[in-house]
Amino acid sequence: QQREKRRAEKVAALKAKQEREKRRNFIAIGSAVVGALAVIAIVVSIVVTSAQPEVDPADIDIAGLETFEGLEPAHVEGVVDYEQSPPAGGPHNPAWLNCGIYEQEVTPENAVHSLEHGAAWVTYNPAEVTEDELNALRDEMPSTYVILSPIDSLEAPVVASAWGYQVQLDGVDDPRLDDFLTKYRLSPDAPEPGALCSGAIDGPGKIA
């Protein structure tokens, strides 16, 4: 009876050991499969990303683009009689407008100083843009070096301006807006690209 008992104990211990080894093997196989899938996902991501070449701003063509040459980046006091509304450069106030989203009209002389620093200025006619469209437009704006503000007398629903460049857009969903921001925001064509677009003055109605 004692021999049978010891034999049964040995058999039970052997079975327990085999079960432990089976569990370890199962875990190891599962970990290997998960690791292999992760590697495959990384490789696929790299291949997909590398297959999508970066857009060179110089290769972007924007239909209806207007260009303005000979804009003088002089600092002046008082009101400037700009040839465009909104202006796309020229003499401006010594203080730049802090970039951001505004729900009221801003002073052009301050905004033009921001254009000098490489900012893009997106203006919209509030009479031609719905609330939902305005919210979508605000969400689309980059977080830096852009000003968004309304102009009641704007001739187009949306106008995008940068130093020396401007395009009138058909609406907030006009694909040329994204092209314009990609090509001209922080463009080296600005007199002082990358200079501060904050730390100066806020216009009325700044919300972000």
Side-chain angles (χ1 to χ4, degrees), residues 32-111:
V33 170
V34 171
L37 291 176
V39 171
I40 292 173
I42 292 173
V43 171
V44 170
S45 176
I46 292 173
V47 170
V48 171
T49 302
S50 61
Q52 299 175 346
E54 294 185 3
V55 176
D56 186 348
D59 295 334
I60 297 176
D61 291 324
I62 301 174
L65 181 72
E66 296 182 85
T67 60
F68 308 96
E69 299 180 355
L71 299 173
E72 179 63 34
H75 289 181
V76 297
E77 298 290 346
V79 177
V80 178
D81 184 17
Y82 293 108
E83 295 183 6
Q84 309 90 33
S85 179
H92 50 268
N93 192 277
W96 61 87
L97 180 71
N98 291 333
C99 289
I101 296 174
Y102 294 84
E103 59 181 4
Q104 298 181 36
E105 292 195 30
V106 299
T107 304
E109 289 78 11
N110 300 116

Side-chain angles (χ1 to χ4, degrees), residues 1-12:
Q1 291 179 349
Q2 290 179 349
R3 285 198 300 271
E4 289 297 325
K5 182 179 179 181
R6 289 195 296 271
R7 183 175 178 277
E9 290 175 348
K10 289 181 179 179
V11 171

